[in-house]
Amino acid sequence: MALNILDRQTFIRELHEIVTPTHPVLYAKYLKGRDIQLKNIEQALFAVGRNVFIYGERGVGKSSLAATAANEWMKNQADADPNTYIDIACSPDSTIYGLVGNIARQATFKSRILKKSVKSSFGINLKWITYKRDNEKIELDFTKELNDLSDCIELLKEVESLYHFPLIVVVDEVDQIKNPVEIERLANLLKQLGDKRVDVKFIFTGVAKTLDEILGSHRSAARQLETIELPKLSWDARWDIAKDALSHFNVKIDDDICIRIAMISDGYPFYVHLIVEKLLWRLFSIEKEVTHVEWSDYYEAVNDAVNGISAELSRPYLQAVTQRSQDYEEVVWATLVADNNIGVYIKEMYTHYKFIMAQLKEKEVLDQDRFYNRVRNLLKDQYGPILAKGLKSGQYVYKEKMLRGYVRLKAEAQKIHLNIDEAKAIDDLRFKANASVKSTKYYSSKAPRGW
Ligand SMILES: Nc1ncnc2c1ncn2[C@@H]1O[C@H](COP(=O)(O)OP(=O)(O)O)[C@@H](O)[C@H]1O
Ligand SMILES: [Mg+2]
């Protein structure tokens, strides 16, 4: 149905089902570019004793992959209701006993058996769970009674027996747990679950560059982990999000605009969702029938997106650019040339800085020394910090990778061209976008540097 004839309620409902900047994707049809990972997780879940660990940068889509994989798994179980997998969020004070207690509580409420018979005194006779039911304590708090790992295993065995299929548990952001005692306990729990063949499946997610950052020396204890390092989203996946959302509302979008959205999102699906959400709102508010996205709609959406970004994400940027000298913003834009993985030398930034300044005729151009000085300041707390030192001496990288996407968006809102080879890069992408066969090699390729 055309966008503008939808009533407001329907529009809002459909918009938020498809475009989800503030929460993880839950269904495979909306999860783009993660087919291989979904397949690997599914295969791992079939193996008794094997659990899954998804790790990667903040915002790449770990929680989405975990939630979708869990949902898909539940969907394929004859007796399961979709969306009833167990979901645990970690915090710095989470404990493993708390985690196991929470799993048991959720599982007890969610299991079909107990839904039918939670009030009756007969049924399965389990040490932990029956005890609670006989006492008619609906507020099931197992945590306090768990004294050691064998208790945890015993309880999870009971939980397992409530279900006709292997139960799935998503433990999100396990990297939040920093206490080494708890981490060791987690590693041992996983090992014992495998040894005792308890068929409760875990999908963990964690913000980390390597699994060792989270599990440290205990990694070997959890040998049975299927580890999935999640890279940034590929080009095709980024623009599939945009294309699909717009085509749902029967709006056409030029490849050039899609390319632009894919580029400035910097591989973070969050930014794609955000821009598309703002774009759809803009189009919906236009009085006449809309069939096409115009460039002006796009730029307005980018502006709205920038304004709608949380303070948490924008704080370092604002801190850096609100210096008294009023010449930091262009310096920060020039740092965009720092690729996420490969560091960049200050000299390269200065070349880009001059390219940017050529577009802003009325502003004074900093000489090399002053520019270098400002870039070095961006390493300091009171200037963000925006940058960190790279692996090689003299090289810089972004301190928080996702911030780079925000900086990109800020520059885009001012219609700043960032890359010296921009015209060529766009031509390349346009050519490939129009190629009749979607070549996986191209579509999964990395962004050209400086985007
Ligand atoms: N593969 C994907 N396809 C479409 N949207 C995605 C995908 N992965 C993540 N998203 C979206 O990106 C944002 C961040 O995803 P999330 O799973 O919360 O990341 P993380 O857990 O790594 O921080 C969310 O808005 C989510 O809806
Ligand atoms: Mg997450």
Side-chain angles (χ1 to χ4, degrees):
M1 204 192 286
L3 182 59
N4 310 72
I5 51 170
L6 286 178
D7 67 83
R8 199 177 162 85
Q9 287 311 320
T10 314
F11 169 70
I12 292 174
R13 200 187 57 244
E14 292 184 10
L15 176 71
H16 291 301
E17 188 184 321
I18 300 167
V19 186
T20 53
T22 48
H23 60 83
V25 174
L26 299 174
Y27 304 104
K29 68 176 168 172
Y30 300 129
L31 190 80
K32 306 295 181 191
R34 302 298 193 202
D35 296 354
I36 296 171
Q37 288 88 350
L38 272 180
K39 207 176 85 218
N40 288 347
I41 295 177
E42 192 196 5
Q43 285 174 5
L45 294 179
F46 280 120
V48 177
R50 191 166 315 155
N51 298 294
V52 177
F53 203 120
I54 305 166
Y55 64 100
E57 288 166 24
R58 194 180 310 286
V60 284
K62 299 176 298 298
S63 303
S64 296
L65 177 61
T68 305
N71 256 339
E72 286 296 298
W73 173 262
M74 295 299 274
K75 219 169 72 190
N76 291 329
Q77 310 303 320
D79 272 340
D81 298 329
N83 240 326
T84 51
Y85 67 88
I86 296 190
D87 195 11
I88 313 262
C90 295
S91 64
D93 52 7
S94 297
T95 64
I96 301 311
Y97 297 161
L99 186 131
V100 171
N102 195 345
I103 293 169
R105 191 172 62 241
Q106 284 193 45
T108 314
F109 277 125
K110 285 180 178 175
S111 80
R112 288 187 127 214
I113 302 167
L114 292 189
K115 249 192 233 163
K116 280 184 219 144
S117 57
V118 75
K119 283 225 167 82
S120 67
S121 54
F122 63 90
I124 24 155
N125 192 23
L126 303 171
K127 179 182 151 198
W128 297 80
I129 294 170
T130 315
Y131 162 70
K132 295 292 174 193
R133 282 205 276 145
D134 283 350
N135 285 286
E136 290 211 346
K137 263 199 239 160
I138 296 301
E139 197 48 54
L140 301 164
D141 186 2
F142 298 98
T143 307
K144 282 193 223 110
E145 287 150 56
L146 294 168
N147 290 316
D148 52 30
L149 274 186
S150 355
D151 285 351
C152 294
I153 299 287
E154 232 174 60
L155 178 55
L156 288 176
K157 266 245 169 237
E158 292 190 4
V159 165
E160 176 198 19
S161 69
L162 296 178
Y163 286 82
H164 305 298
F165 49 83
L167 184 62
I168 201 125
V169 180
V170 172
V171 183
D172 209 18
E173 300 203 352
V174 85
D175 58 293
Q176 297 253 355
I177 307 178
K178 300 276 192 261
N179 183 345
V181 176
E182 295 301 335
I183 292 169
E184 184 177 355
R185 215 169 258 158
L186 175 63
N188 287 335
L189 176 75
L190 290 180
K191 186 170 177 301
Q192 289 198 28
L193 284 173
D195 293 349
K196 306 259 159 61
R197 300 182 77 82
V198 182
D199 216 2
V200 176
K201 303 287 185 185
F202 285 90
I203 303 179
F204 297 98
T205 80
V207 181
K209 279 200 208 70
T210 67
L211 201 59
D212 288 348
E213 271 180 33
I214 296 171
L215 287 181
S217 55
H218 305 296
R219 190 181 167 162
S220 60
R223 242 170 302 136
Q224 282 280 44
L225 277 183
E226 172 85 17
T227 57
I228 296 185
E229 182 182 1
L230 211 55
K232 292 211 286 187
L233 216 54
S234 69
W235 282 89
D236 63 328
R238 293 181 221 173
W239 83 47
D240 276 354
I241 299 175
K243 276 236 142 97
D244 278 15
L246 285 147
S247 88
H248 175 89
F249 292 103
N250 285 319
V251 180
K252 288 205 169 55
I253 180 162
D254 284 351
D255 283 345
D256 282 13
I257 302 181
C258 257
I259 288 170
R260 204 80 206 167
I261 295 176
M263 273 178 174
I264 68 160
S265 68
D266 207 26
Y268 289 101
F270 163 74
Y271 292 113
V272 183
H273 282 272
L274 193 65
I275 297 169
V276 171
E277 181 191 18
K278 303 293 180 189
L279 188 57
L280 282 163
W281 267 116
R282 283 262 163 199
L283 301 176
F284 181 68
S285 344
I286 297 173
E287 295 291 303
K288 57 180 178 30
E289 193 186 330
V290 177
T291 54
H292 231 91
V293 177
E294 303 285 346
W295 277 102
S296 55
D297 302 323
Y298 161 74
Y299 279 111
E300 281 173 8
V302 169
N303 258 301
D304 294 348
V306 163
N307 295 330
I309 278 170
S310 73
E312 191 207 339
L313 204 57
S314 58
R315 190 200 49 78
Y317 183 89
L318 296 177
Q319 205 157 8
V321 304
T322 47
Q323 302 298 324
R324 202 156 354 119
S325 63
Q326 304 241 321
D327 49 20
Y328 268 86
E329 190 154 32
E330 299 80 13
V331 177
V332 174
W333 293 344
T335 64
L336 281 166
V337 70
D339 187 272
N340 275 344
N341 300 316
I342 318 156
V344 75
Y345 294 104
I346 227 171
K347 201 168 138 225
E348 230 176 302
M349 289 184 195
Y350 193 53
T351 313
H352 282 257
Y353 172 73
K354 285 187 287 186
F355 179 75
I356 289 168
M357 294 313 280
Q359 299 162 55
L360 300 165
K361 299 271 178 330
E362 71 286 2
K363 285 211 91 166
E364 189 205 342
V365 183
L366 295 170
D367 61 28
Q368 188 168 313
D369 280 356
R370 280 157 74 211
F371 177 82
Y372 280 27
N373 177 289
R374 280 162 180 57
V375 170
R376 289 194 194 101
N377 276 342
L378 297 178
L379 293 165
K380 299 178 189 161
D381 280 355
Q382 65 269 38
Y383 293 80
I386 303 273
L387 298 177
K389 289 197 167 145
L391 278 181
K392 286 195 192 144
S393 137
Q395 280 193 337
Y396 294 88
V397 290
Y398 260 76
K399 175 98 203 303
E400 171 69 72
K401 311 290 184 245
M402 215 175 158
L403 178 66
R404 187 171 178 271
Y406 178 74
V407 177
R408 186 71 184 90
L409 217 57
K410 282 296 267 191
E412 183 75 356
Q414 304 293 319
K415 303 193 181 162
I416 295 294
H417 293 260
L418 287 170
N419 198 304
I420 293 163
D421 303 322
E422 184 173 71
K424 190 183 164 301
I426 289 191
D427 267 358
D428 269 12
L429 287 169
R430 192 181 294 131
F431 171 75
K432 282 159 180 162
N434 290 326
S436 51
V437 183
K438 270 196 182 185
S439 137
T440 6
K441 193 160 156 249
Y442 155 65
Y443 273 97
S444 51
S445 67
K446 284 174 59 180
R449 279 196 78 184
W451 284 103

